[in-house]
Amino acid sequence: MILPAIAVIVIFSYLPMYGIQLAFRDFDFSKGLTGGAWRGLYYFDQFINSYLFIDLMKNTFFISLATIVIGFPAPILLALILNQIRRKKMKQIMQTTVYLPHFISIIVLVGMLNVLLSPETGIVGYIMKSIGLGHINLLASTNTFIPVYVLSDIWQHCGWNSIIYLAALSTVDPLLYDSAKIDGASRWQTVRYVDFPAIVPTIIILFVLSMGGILSTGFEKIFLMQNSLNLPVTEVIATYVYKIGIVSNQFSYAAAIGLFNTVINFIFLFAVNAIAKRASNMSLF
């Protein structure tokens, strides 16, 4: 049963690693991945010494960090809230409602943001004008882009990400709830002493996995939301690799940047995993 999944991982994750050497060579169309001249760490040095390096790292890190700090606890809180709904029909309706945004495509979501947040015709822009905030383009401002990006990401994925926590809560022994009720525990105390400890192992594992992508902001959403006005805060490693590799045909340079990004994520993953193992005796490996 797991053979198809293993085949997909091998074909799309491990076999392409052969192309990593492109980051250390001058790519030549006529000679393929292994035919170009060996350049060693030249492209890595070029990226680190680039005038854009600090801005790219800062933008990528801040967007990723904001997404983790604000977005990571959101599905946990939602799962704890949904778990408190005792009426089965109401719980199913609420779960379906919060799951649905996950299935909206990124293109449609960005289109919705452009329509809703338009300072001229959008409902949010109309509300802001009516309360005296004036014409503020939330998608074009460098001060408001990250909050818009993070909050829209939470709205879209919070419900779907809460599924795994709800699954963990479903394994709690009902006798624990009965015991808490007999002891006079309030609903808040039940959540604190029964529900939350049950999902702590899941929280730790998922947090370690999320830290493994600290510099992986994703490409599609940021690229679609990017414009000339918010470019100072939206130019991240993913969009820069696209512009350097696909648009400018600097394939070796783009491969080096992508590999650099992956190595940093790998280091973060191992570091956070080691901290989690030392602090709670729970880890991925």
Side-chain angles (χ1 to χ4, degrees), residues 14-36:
Y14 284 94
L15 291 182
M17 288 185 182
Y18 178 77
I20 288 177
Q21 61 181 300
L22 185 61
F24 305 94
R25 294 180 179 274
D26 282 332
F27 180 66
D28 188 332
F29 283 99
S30 63
K31 297 180 181 179
L33 295 178
T34 60

Side-chain angles (χ1 to χ4, degrees), residues 141-219:
S141 173
T142 56
N143 296 322
T144 59
F145 175 84
I146 293 181
V148 170
Y149 177 89
V150 173
L151 293 176
S152 62
D153 190 74
I154 292 174
W155 175 80
Q156 185 178 20
H157 299 299
C158 181
W160 183 260
N161 292 338
S162 68
I163 292 177
I164 191 168
Y165 297 110
L166 288 170
L169 288 170
S170 67
T171 63
V172 178
D173 191 342
L175 293 177
L176 292 176
Y177 294 114
D178 295 334
S179 300
K181 186 179 294 185
I182 292 173
D183 290 339
S186 64
R187 181 165 293 189
W188 162 248
Q189 290 173 324
T190 302
V191 171
R192 180 180 178 184
Y193 295 108
V194 179
D195 290 339
F196 187 73
I199 62 176
V200 165
T202 305
I203 293 174
I204 293 175
I205 295 301
L206 292 181
F207 181 75
V208 172
L209 289 173
S210 66
M211 292 303 293
I214 187 67
L215 292 183
S216 299
T217 56
F219 167 76

Side-chain angles (χ1 to χ4, degrees), residues 59-61 63-64 149 213-219 222 236-238 261:
N59 293 342
T60 305
F61 181 77
I63 293 176
S64 297
Y149 177 89
I214 187 67
L215 292 183
S216 299
T217 56
F219 167 76
I222 290 183
V236 296
I237 292 177
N261 186 39

Side-chain angles (χ1 to χ4, degrees), residues 252-277:
S252 295
Y253 187 32
I257 298 173
L259 181 57
F260 174 84
N261 186 39
T262 302
V263 170
I264 297 299
N265 287 335
F266 187 74
I267 293 173
F268 267 98
L269 176 64
F270 267 80
V272 175
N273 184 76
I275 294 173
K277 187 174 184 179

Side-chain angles (χ1 to χ4, degrees), residues 79-86 91 177 187 190-191 195:
L80 293 173
I81 292 171
L82 291 176
N83 192 59
Q84 293 301 308
I85 301 176
R86 298 299 177 224
K91 186 175 183 179
Y177 294 114
R187 181 165 293 189
T190 302
V191 171
D195 290 339

Side-chain angles (χ1 to χ4, degrees), residues 22-258:
L22 185 61
F24 305 94
R25 294 180 179 274
D26 282 332
F27 180 66
D28 188 332
F29 283 99
S30 63
K31 297 180 181 179
L33 295 178
T34 60
W38 182 263
R39 299 299 298 271
L41 300 178
Y42 171 79
Y43 292 109
F44 296 92
D45 181 70
Q46 180 180 348
F47 175 58
I48 293 174
N49 292 316
S50 169
Y51 72 95
L52 287 173
F53 177 75
I54 298 298
D55 290 335
L56 289 173
M57 295 296 292
K58 181 180 66 175
N59 293 342
T60 305
F61 181 77
F62 280 150
I63 293 176
S64 297
L65 185 64
T67 303
I68 292 175
V69 171
I70 302 175
F72 185 80
I76 300 173
L77 296 175
L78 179 61
L80 293 173
I81 292 171
L82 291 176
N83 192 59
Q84 293 301 308
I85 301 176
R86 298 299 177 224
R87 294 176 60 183
K88 185 176 180 180
K89 189 67 175 178
M90 179 61 70
K91 186 175 183 179
Q92 291 175 343
I93 294 174
M94 289 296 296
Q95 287 178 313
T96 303
T97 302
V98 297
Y99 294 166
L100 286 177
H102 176 77
F103 299 99
I104 299 175
S105 71
I106 296 297
I107 295 177
V108 174
L109 175 65
V110 175
M112 291 171 58
L113 291 175
N114 285 323
V115 171
L116 294 173
L117 302 182
S118 171
E120 300 296 337
T121 59
I123 185 172
V124 175
Y126 175 78
I127 294 174
M128 293 177 65
K129 285 189 294 184
S130 64
I131 61 177
L133 293 180
H135 295 265
I136 300 177
N137 192 338
L138 297 177
L139 291 178
S141 173
T142 56
N143 296 322
T144 59
F145 175 84
I146 293 181
V148 170
Y149 177 89
V150 173
L151 293 176
S152 62
D153 190 74
I154 292 174
W155 175 80
Q156 185 178 20
H157 299 299
C158 181
W160 183 260
N161 292 338
S162 68
I163 292 177
I164 191 168
Y165 297 110
L166 288 170
L169 288 170
S170 67
T171 63
V172 178
D173 191 342
L175 293 177
L176 292 176
Y177 294 114
D178 295 334
S179 300
K181 186 179 294 185
I182 292 173
D183 290 339
S186 64
R187 181 165 293 189
W188 162 248
Q189 290 173 324
T190 302
V191 171
R192 180 180 178 184
Y193 295 108
V194 179
D195 290 339
F196 187 73
I199 62 176
V200 165
T202 305
I203 293 174
I204 293 175
I205 295 301
L206 292 181
F207 181 75
V208 172
L209 289 173
S210 66
M211 292 303 293
I214 187 67
L215 292 183
S216 299
T217 56
F219 167 76
E220 296 90 350
K221 186 176 179 181
I222 290 183
F223 183 73
L224 291 171
M225 295 176 67
Q226 196 174 79
N227 56 58
S228 58
L229 296 177
N230 63 27
L231 194 61
V233 297
T234 59
E235 188 71 287
V236 296
I237 292 177
T239 58
Y240 185 67
V241 166
Y242 166 77
K243 294 173 183 178
I244 288 295
I246 304 301
V247 178
S248 302
N249 295 326
Q250 300 181 51
F251 299 110
S252 295
Y253 187 32
I257 298 173

